[in-house]
Amino acid sequence: MAKFEPSEAVLSGETADVYFAHTVDILGKEKLNPVATMQVFSSRAGILCGIEEVKALLARVLPEDNREVWALGEGEAIDRKEVVLRITAPYQSYGLYETAICGILAHCSGWATAARECVDGAAGIPVISFGARHVHPSVAGVMDYSAIIGGCQGCSSIAGARLAGVEPSGTMPHALIIVIGDTVKATLAFDKYMPTGVPRISLVDTFKDEAEESLLVAQALGDRLNSVRLDTPAERGQVTVDLVKEVRARLDLAGFQKVKIFVSGGVDIERIKQFIAEKAPVDGFGIGSYITSAKPIDFTADLHEIEGKPIAKRGRIPGITLNPRLKRIM
Amino acid sequence: MAKFEPSEAVLSGETADVYFAHTVDILGKEKLNPVATMQVFSSRAGILCGIEEVKALLARVLPEDNREVWALGEGEAIDRKEVVLRITAPYQSYGLYETAICGILAHCSGWATAARECVDGAAGIPVISFGARHVHPSVAGVMDYSAIIGGCQGCSSIAGARLAGVEPSGTMPHALIIVIGDTVKATLAFDKYMPTGVPRISLVDTFKDEAEESLLVAQALGDRLNSVRLDTPAERGQVTVDLVKEVRARLDLAGFQKVKIFVSGGVDIERIKQFIAEKAPVDGFGIGSYITSAKPIDFTADLHEIEGKPIAKRGRIPGITLNPRLKRIM
Amino acid sequence: MAKFEPSEAVLSGETADVYFAHTVDILGKEKLNPVATMQVFSSRAGILCGIEEVKALLARVLPEDNREVWALGEGEAIDRKEVVLRITAPYQSYGLYETAICGILAHCSGWATAARECVDGAAGIPVISFGARHVHPSVAGVMDYSAIIGGCQGCSSIAGARLAGVEPSGTMPHALIIVIGDTVKATLAFDKYMPTGVPRISLVDTFKDEAEESLLVAQALGDRLNSVRLDTPAERGQVTVDLVKEVRARLDLAGFQKVKIFVSGGVDIERIKQFIAEKAPVDGFGIGSYITSAKPIDFTADLHEIEGKPIAKRGRIPGITLNPRLKRIM
Amino acid sequence: MAKFEPSEAVLSGETADVYFAHTVDILGKEKLNPVATMQVFSSRAGILCGIEEVKALLARVLPEDNREVWALGEGEAIDRKEVVLRITAPYQSYGLYETAICGILAHCSGWATAARECVDGAAGIPVISFGARHVHPSVAGVMDYSAIIGGCQGCSSIAGARLAGVEPSGTMPHALIIVIGDTVKATLAFDKYMPTGVPRISLVDTFKDEAEESLLVAQALGDRLNSVRLDTPAERGQVTVDLVKEVRARLDLAGFQKVKIFVSGGVDIERIKQFIAEKAPVDGFGIGSYITSAKPIDFTADLHEIEGKPIAKRGRIPGITLNPRLKRIM
Amino acid sequence: MAKFEPSEAVLSGETADVYFAHTVDILGKEKLNPVATMQVFSSRAGILCGIEEVKALLARVLPEDNREVWALGEGEAIDRKEVVLRITAPYQSYGLYETAICGILAHCSGWATAARECVDGAAGIPVISFGARHVHPSVAGVMDYSAIIGGCQGCSSIAGARLAGVEPSGTMPHALIIVIGDTVKATLAFDKYMPTGVPRISLVDTFKDEAEESLLVAQALGDRLNSVRLDTPAERGQVTVDLVKEVRARLDLAGFQKVKIFVSGGVDIERIKQFIAEKAPVDGFGIGSYITSAKPIDFTADLHEIEGKPIAKRGRIPGITLNPRLKRIM
Amino acid sequence: MAKFEPSEAVLSGETADVYFAHTVDILGKEKLNPVATMQVFSSRAGILCGIEEVKALLARVLPEDNREVWALGEGEAIDRKEVVLRITAPYQSYGLYETAICGILAHCSGWATAARECVDGAAGIPVISFGARHVHPSVAGVMDYSAIIGGCQGCSSIAGARLAGVEPSGTMPHALIIVIGDTVKATLAFDKYMPTGVPRISLVDTFKDEAEESLLVAQALGDRLNSVRLDTPAERGQVTVDLVKEVRARLDLAGFQKVKIFVSGGVDIERIKQFIAEKAPVDGFGIGSYITSAKPIDFTADLHEIEGKPIAKRGRIPGITLNPRLKRIM
């Protein structure tokens, strides 16, 4: 499981909304530091993710002798408006971190929820997160971690794999093939230098027809070839159900029944469902922007008690909201 | 203008797709390091953002004596499939950074583009980015920076304001009012302790009807009150056109014509257009999730020349793509 | 049950289409007064209403010794094209009243049908007809009567309540509160002067936040307060599910579990369904324009026999249409 | 112009919402009777109708020496939310009539607005209101009056024609033809007994094909025949553009170019537009349920001043709303 | 069952795509005539038709001692992409006929599939193909034959009836009635001259109302009248459910319970479903353009083996596709 | 221009609706053969086609001394319900041919109209009819002829080209390449044996990537290569705009600027518009099923005069319909 460490930028309040800095400042000057209960709830249903990183932050900032924290667990399914976190502690100890707490949960839960959709749609066929290239590198790791919490078997970024405690998944990029200038040669070079544990997955759409290149690399590597990856670009109609069936059939005809087929390139939940419904012989899906373009699941934090007395802003109900699924974590 | 510094995680390749690490490794062992030209193009039209951060990265990694970089500028409008960046340099110097380059541009351009929509819709009324709470804190700063590149006048996060070279914008959170227990008292405390330069903007929907609280804080602060902020939650029907008109009228009737009205809470482009069309007297909009939930604008990087010779994968056209808007930046 | 009396305007033919006056005139001069059978059928399915008023009219105009009338009952569900009334009598005795007969059934059945939809949607929660202000006062009474036939428990107009044999339902209008200038004072005045039997229902959205005013009136009246009425206008986002839940929670927190919540203001069948689906703790609905803007269910009257011989215009089938549900009423 | 007289049921408050009776009762006991200003505005754009009837009511109930009434005129186009009526007078003199005032305007304006749509669509071809049979007889007259305010040239009910100061329009009903048993004979009887001023319009779809019956009645009446009316029922496909063209052609071929064609039967704005677009030679339209099923245009009455001081409920703006189109009428 | 004979135009290659003529020419000059296996599959699901005509063609052109043909049967339901025909023979013997083979199957299967939809929709009521007038006479026969394969009980063209081995179905055209000038006289003439076996079906919408003409011809022919045909044109609203019910009722009232009702005129699957759902007493449907405007079901022919070796173009799978439903027919 | 000859099947009445045979039989026995005027009109707007074939039929069957025929010309645009043909002659001379006349016009005009849409959409780029394989071979020729009347520059069937007086257009089928086993060899064989006048158009999607095969055949044939044809199947995503641009760019980079690009494979009007809008460098389109699956434009024939006297069935207007565009042709 991931080991999260709050960054200096978060701890210093640098990433916070400035009005929380003002608030802590004003309350300090007013010498107001009541024990306050804050509850955090989600704007829609999904998969909760980021709570581990939030816990790491709270463990650093809440006073050990005056805190009580209840939460749901990483990866749990949550309902719309469900309270997922409740903090009771002196307000000044955590007021500055409302922005970070909500932001971590929002972004991570959004990614995990989209990943879960894909995994559910894929009906048992492994799904790998391939979207690091679509997000800012500062969150590439947590994005991939969230996808794995959502059910993905692996991810392409080194940072994400480290957080999730898995090996990063990779095939080969078009760049390797273009620099070497030939798919078969590139695959042979990959095979020559990569450690034994790295599966040999050849990308077969760079220079020739996918079916043709599949047979060429299969003939070149023989039993060492683990998979071919089809990543046909939109300019060529993307990977279709029929293309997968045809490559499978041509590989089988040539005796390469053991070579798997891995599909990527603009795969989303609709296309996953189509591949499954039409029984395309896919052995793995690589998902990019469907996960990375998922909307964050916005979370809202509200104070519900001050020094044990129920209070709330208009639109919220004063006092603690019961949620029997919450577990005390601190 | 922002001063970007590539992080250690990016420079080390930690945030990259693992297959680029493999590729650099294999090519190194094969002693292949040709001068290669990579072009980056967008998947859809929008506002380019992140190119400054990409330039800071390239400046660190490309050999000064063997590089040529052409790019469009931060904040420029771009077309679908337009080439926005062209790098010519030894492939090993930059191959590892394809993931980061695409990811920075994708995420930042997505945010900037959504911000531009809001700014265009608001027809001259200032728009402030309020969405830090909806993204992971590691990107809260670049998100707000991107929103400002897209046209926002300010942002709520300290980190974003620093990158964009502006003062962070803040009013007061519901938490301050709830801890103090009274909107007028909270506003007076804010006024007492905040430096002169910070505008006095009171949040007027916490405990009483918005129109009622607006009059109370106006009466309490007199000329020092800059604005009231309406942030009515969905549970109470959000801020409507008529509410703004009514608060304006009631403030005017009581002699507070100078107090401005700032609107936030689930504001999106449709609601902005409605406020403008129905001539609601809004003096500023705070936008959160419309910007933060914008889909990244995916960018694609392709090699188009190796040692000066045109080449490309299937689906792309070999050789350099002409784009007279590109400027040489390195 | 209502006691209807045909008005002089109806009996004189003043409200009839002029060609029926011409027809009776011509047939009189031609000395043609055959026994004719007229059947009336509906243009769509719904709840039959108005038949009692039609019977009162027929009882006045048909010759007692030469008439036979079959009909369905007030409030019965009817099918599209179902015959709901069959009159056999000398044509001149009733020819003039075709307009009135069809009009009474059309308007009343339209209202009753819309009311029934609301009542069915409300799943046992009482529904009161509040729409007198949306119809011409000449039909305010029959509209409210029809709503009660459709299943409403009460209505706001005195005339409608009298026709339906119930007490009129009322809370207090905004005007009372505005003239008195304070919600609590107005509620106390109401309590002071109204007879014991009139339930104390306070309207709580006039000057302050609904939750705030609810608590104020509850504290002022104590056990005598029967209900609060939420009637939030569209300018403030109408009454939402969450507002009801919050007011309920705040009343309960303050010990006013017995105070009921009555909801009005633009409530239609969609919103009723939403309140029910999301389990909003509503104790009563006030429905206005959903009922009053219901389209009349047009009825058509056709002659099917003349002196016992089947006849009909093109498009209709000569002779009597069998409908075993019809009962002889005259 | 119509001469309206408030009915006893209205004057007595019988048709009012009961809470206005309570309000007047309470204020009387409290001896509160301030001069109050009430404004009435519409919920959507349309044609104002009913204001003459409202004026007749106000003239009866407001004290002549202490009243000021401003209003728009009967038949004027109004905007959404436009103030159409402003009353300043002692509240007890008119408080009881809020229900009636709003109801008269709502129902009448709804009908007038639908009529205007038809008249605009008909592009100069006369439109007659034929819907008395679809409304309760108590409002048949005001409905037809409203249709004429909306632009109809005539109406079928005697009561409506009297209110509007026109002759009622009528052709002949199917009943006359069925009782007499023959279309030609019925037309001849009509011609024999009706006064000279009543146009001879024969209904030609009762027993035979419309074109066939048109020729038969034209041959029977010769120059005295003014028009034929086509009223084909839905069971026979309603009146189509082609049917009108064919009847016109067959009449012309037989030398009856002067006989006009009048179309009725489920005609709505869409069908009017089709007849006009396809140049069907229609000489008049009879409109029924399109007008009678029009939704009332709900009106809202609000107090905006008490004894000259601005006040309003939440959601409305205190004080008088300027509308330069208002004229003082009392 | 039909006896098809390939035409000289087909056999000579006149109707082929010219490039097949070129291909046979080139291969002949190259002395290439391998045994090749061609498979034909459909573009969508439907009813297979035309295979008998294709078999007649193949029987003429394939060498008896070197051919193997597998196929599905005429009228069988087929799936999308299902192989319906497999030919193994020297390529030059059949290469020229690919155009004709695909074209026959495409056009005939399209018609048969639309006919099947109607027959299924009609729920047991006979359906007759009446569309010869909507297709080129060169295919009027095969169109009607295909409709009968799809389930129609008969057809109007003599050529189609001959191919399908049934008697042609006919009633009488409007032209006969117009030339004779009277529906009853035309029906009597038909009855006088037509052989006993031809059912007397009178067309009853030419000059008078359908119900009126139905009674007139029934009275004229008595027991000899088999049916009336309703063919009301669109100008008169087409045949409606209610018209059929009314004609049935009027015939029954007059004692003609045995006379059937046949419906035609723009009947499509939606209208069939409506007639069935509303229980219109129809005894037969005549279908024209719904069948004739059916899109052909395109078929594709591919070579999958050359001299026993699997081969295929890109997008297809080399080698024979298994389909256990295929039967060897040659 | 085409030279049409009526077939024996048409002349004998074999392809007619049987009731026309009955009609001619009955009228013959009744010795009724009046001069009758029949008019033919279309059910919707489009391009008239087939009138030449109809004229050839009428020229054979109408008595030269007693006929008058007016018509519009082949390829003229026609309106909905426009009369396109008027025949005045003894009824028995042409009554039997109503089915054939309507059918020829319906089918041919349907095809010509769809072709015209494509030609208009293609904005000057040549369009060739490639759909012979989707229609029954008995109409392959007239289908292609109709497409050319609609504006196509050529067609693939020999029969169609003959009727239209052009050379058939052909490239090479996949079958030629598969039998020879190699695209380059097949193209060289084509080049070796085909006459000089036949343009060398190579089909480049059979075994390898389209761009790769394009370069191979261009290198093999040099200046003699006229075009490449892209026909990518749906299984591979069809031909995309980007594929055409890429093949063009790769051919140009290799110095083959003169080689044209011809696009086929499921091309319809939407895709043509997209190719044009996105400026794909297409030099010709091959259209198949968009034309062949066009619905026939149904035509209706009606008698309007018998022996000079106006008459018509219900729904039509008796007498001749004026159409100044008609020209006398016989």
Side-chain angles (χ1 to χ4, degrees), chain C residues 99-118:
Chain C
T99 310
I101 291 168
C102 290
I104 291 167
L105 296 178
H107 233 159
C108 295
S109 298
W111 291 317
T113 300
R116 176 66 55 90
E117 283 181 64
C118 294

Side-chain angles (χ1 to χ4, degrees), chain C residues 36-181:
Chain C
T37 296
M38 188 170 85
Q39 295 189 153
V40 180
F41 68 88
S42 69
S43 59
R44 54 189 167 91
I47 299 300
L48 180 66
C49 187
I51 197 77
E52 285 297 320
E53 188 173 357
V54 169
K55 279 160 63 177
L57 170 60
L58 294 175
R60 275 287 295 275
V61 301
L62 299 183
E64 279 189 46
D65 56 349
N66 192 2
R67 68 186 189 192
E68 182 174 330
V69 182
W70 295 71
L72 295 180
E74 196 85 325
E76 286 197 68
I78 56 172
D79 273 343
R80 177 172 171 269
K81 292 215 163 184
E82 180 165 12
V83 174
V84 304
L85 174 67
R86 186 193 300 128
I87 302 164
T88 302
Y91 181 74
Q92 292 199 29
S93 66
Y94 68 85
L96 191 57
Y97 306 113
E98 182 175 326
T99 310
I101 291 168
C102 290
I104 291 167
L105 296 178
H107 233 159
C108 295
S109 298
W111 291 317
T113 300
R116 176 66 55 90
E117 283 181 64
C118 294
V119 169
D120 286 350
I125 295 172
V127 175
I128 308 295
S129 175
F130 263 24
R133 63 182 47 234
H134 303 314
V135 295
H136 195 279
S138 301
V139 290
V142 288
M143 183 280 294
D144 269 346
Y145 163 81
S146 301
I148 289 173
I149 292 297
C152 286
Q153 285 210 0
C155 66
S156 63
S157 76
I158 300 165
R162 189 161 304 168
L163 278 173
V166 302
E167 284 298 307
S169 299
T171 61
M172 59 179 64
H174 291 105
L176 175 64
I177 297 170
I178 292 174
V179 171
I180 290 183

